[in-house]
Amino acid sequence: MPKCASSGAYTELGLYYLIMYKLFFGKRVFATLVSVTASRWFWRGIVGLFVIQAVYIALVGQFSMAFDEHFHLAAINEYSKVLFPWQVTQPPGPAELSAFTADGSYLYHYLMSFPYRLLRLVTTSQTALIVMLRLLDVGIVVAGWYVFRRLLFELKLSAAPAHVLLAICMLMPMAPFMAGQLTYDALFFTSCGVTVLLLVRLLRTVSEQRKLPLSLVAWVGVAVLVTLQTKYAFFPAALGAGLYMIGYLTRQTYQKRLRWSSIWQSWRTDASKGSGAVAVGVLLLTGVLFVQRYGMNYLNYGSLVPECQVVLSHERCLGFAPYGRDADIREKGWYKTITQKQRLTYPYKWYEKMIYESYFAVGPKEIAYPVAEPLPVPYTAGKIVAALGALTILLRLPWILRKNIYAQLLFAVTGTYVVFLFLKNYGAFLATAVPLSIHGRYVLPFLPLAGYLVYIGLRPLLRKQKMQTVSAVAVSILLLASLWGGGMAAYIIRSQDTWYWPTMQPISRVVRSVVAPFILK
């Protein structure tokens, strides 16, 4: 009798769980999740949360924060002394700004020098200047998120996956931390989005309309040149995009889908119109700036991006912090003892540190950049997402790229950039035996593109009801994990008073005391 009762109890319990599963984890939960994440309120909420966090960091963070604020402020100050960028001169003494007149990553500093000049007319407080410039960076990065949202929409993603992809990126601690400080990474982030968006539009125009409009080609060129002059690290991505577009146009020409005689005729017509003339004019202007800096570098030093010691003396370049650090480490001779095992394990260490530096917190330069550990919940979620994303792209790559020209373009851009970034970091490791300059913010502009590739790889699986349920639960857990300690939470909880402006330390303590009890540490 007890056995039968026990069996009946198990049966009833099983029926109960089955009913609960059907009620809460059936089609309804997937449809509800799609409806919620596709809404404008979800998007506005995520953007609003991002703005609050970035503005908070901009207001309270002690100068100079970790992403080289001291360098960027000094560079902006130098450009504020001249009207045109080619008039800038190398500051005397140790090269604290590296080979300044040969630095191709100058456009952010030149453009920011104009609001800097205006702000100096109304205040003499350096703190006020820094905070106002930081707030401009917040606006630039927020504009970038809207650009990436438009990009994902033009890639035919519906609102729900587009919003989820961007939300995951925006909740990574490095994102608001980068936006809330003075750094050229802010403009680089947004200009990368604009460039890829225009490339996608150009590719669609060629594919669907079999046209190559002069104005669109010119604006693509402008976007590429602006991004390259914001940060020279974009060269590999530009190379990947250029090679893919040339290959695609060649194939279209070979298949007689493009007639260049008609294209030349349309270009002559467009050049005489207002929109075409403006686009070509802006392209010529950015081209002149590009040649003035990168072209002269090549003529004078044999390289588009010459090393500091090629332009200046080794002794002066020791004043530039990264150069002096690398030279000091190399003098210790550690690179002579690098083992084969260290070489083979470096890719994993690089991958691990990229994720770590996307979720940790770091203090200002004045106290030697103290590092604080990531919070466990979002960090664990980030590691899982990174591993599954990389595995999806690796295993599903042939299917992702098959007949999807947009995925092919994004893979060419992202893949080329990441490979060159890895090789540069690996070269620094071989020269010093120390894993240097591995920072998660370097890949932030390309994470939405990688997210698109992952989604395309997983999309066929979502046709099954069971996979819809699994994906709904997984995405819900991921968003909750990203929220529970994501964003600036690590910065708030792990920081010390010395990370903040003196006047903001009491406020930071109050914020920490309010937030800390709700976060798993």
Side-chain angles (χ1 to χ4, degrees), residues 246-514:
I246 290 172
Y248 184 77
L249 291 175
T250 301
R251 188 167 72 249
Q252 294 295 300
T253 302
Y254 178 77
Q255 295 174 349
K256 298 183 179 179
R257 295 179 179 176
L258 279 181
R259 298 184 181 276
W260 285 94
S261 59
S262 301
I263 291 173
W264 297 127
Q265 181 60 41
S266 69
W267 282 19
R268 284 193 292 268
T269 303
D270 290 346
S272 62
K273 296 180 180 179
S275 59
V278 169
V280 172
V282 177
L283 177 62
L284 291 175
L285 174 61
T286 53
V288 168
L289 294 174
F290 181 87
V291 171
Q292 184 275 325
R293 188 59 57 100
Y294 285 111
M296 293 304 296
N297 280 350
Y298 191 79
L299 289 176
N300 293 331
Y301 310 112
S303 172
L304 295 174
V305 188
E307 298 289 339
C308 180
Q309 74 275 14
V310 175
V311 182
L312 306 172
S313 66
H314 170 72
E315 289 71 23
R316 290 188 71 185
C317 288
L318 289 174
F320 181 49
Y323 184 93
R325 175 202 63 196
D326 293 356
D328 182 61
I329 295 173
R330 186 166 176 82
E331 282 184 4
K332 294 180 171 60
W334 296 341
Y335 67 94
K336 298 176 183 178
T337 62
I338 296 176
T339 64
Q340 186 66 19
K341 181 180 178 181
Q342 289 175 309
R343 290 188 177 91
L344 293 175
T345 57
Y346 178 82
Y348 174 74
K349 290 184 177 180
W350 182 86
Y351 165 83
E352 189 177 49
K353 192 174 181 184
M354 272 289 179
I355 301 173
Y356 178 83
E357 292 214 3
S358 298
Y359 287 86
F360 77 154
V362 58
K365 174 179 181 289
E366 284 63 28
I367 52 175
Y369 298 125
V371 172
E373 292 294 313
L375 294 173
V377 174
Y379 184 41
T380 301
K383 289 194 289 187
I384 292 172
V385 169
L388 293 179
L391 192 62
T392 299
I393 293 177
L394 181 64
L395 297 179
R396 299 279 295 170
L397 187 60
W399 192 94
I400 293 171
L401 301 182
R402 185 174 55 195
K403 297 182 181 180
N404 188 332
I405 57 175
Y406 308 109
Q408 294 167 10
L409 172 64
L410 298 192
F411 181 75
V413 171
T414 305
T416 309
Y417 176 84
V418 172
V419 167
F420 272 77
L421 175 62
F422 170 81
L423 292 176
K424 182 175 177 62
N425 289 155
Y426 184 60
F429 170 72
L430 294 179
T432 61
V434 179
L436 299 170
S437 301
I438 305 173
H439 305 305
R441 72 182 188 274
Y442 291 165
V443 298
L444 181 60
F446 301 90
L447 292 183
L449 313 184
Y452 169 80
L453 297 176
V454 172
Y455 177 75
I456 292 300
L458 295 176
R459 187 164 57 182
L461 303 178
L462 299 179
R463 295 169 185 165
K464 300 178 180 179
Q465 182 182 338
K466 289 184 179 180
M467 290 306 300
Q468 290 180 358
T469 302
V470 170
S471 65
V473 174
V475 169
S476 299
I477 293 173
L478 175 60
L479 289 174
L480 290 173
S482 299
L483 281 167
W484 193 24
M488 67 177 183
Y491 183 82
I492 291 173
I493 294 172
R494 304 289 200 207
S495 60
Q496 305 297 323
D497 283 352
T498 49
W499 293 29
Y500 300 90
W501 298 112
T503 55
M504 291 296 180
Q505 290 175 5
I507 296 175
S508 70
R509 295 189 204 110
V510 172
V511 173
R512 188 181 306 124
S513 66
V514 171

Side-chain angles (χ1 to χ4, degrees), residues 181 243 456:
Q181 59 183 285
L243 291 176
I456 292 300

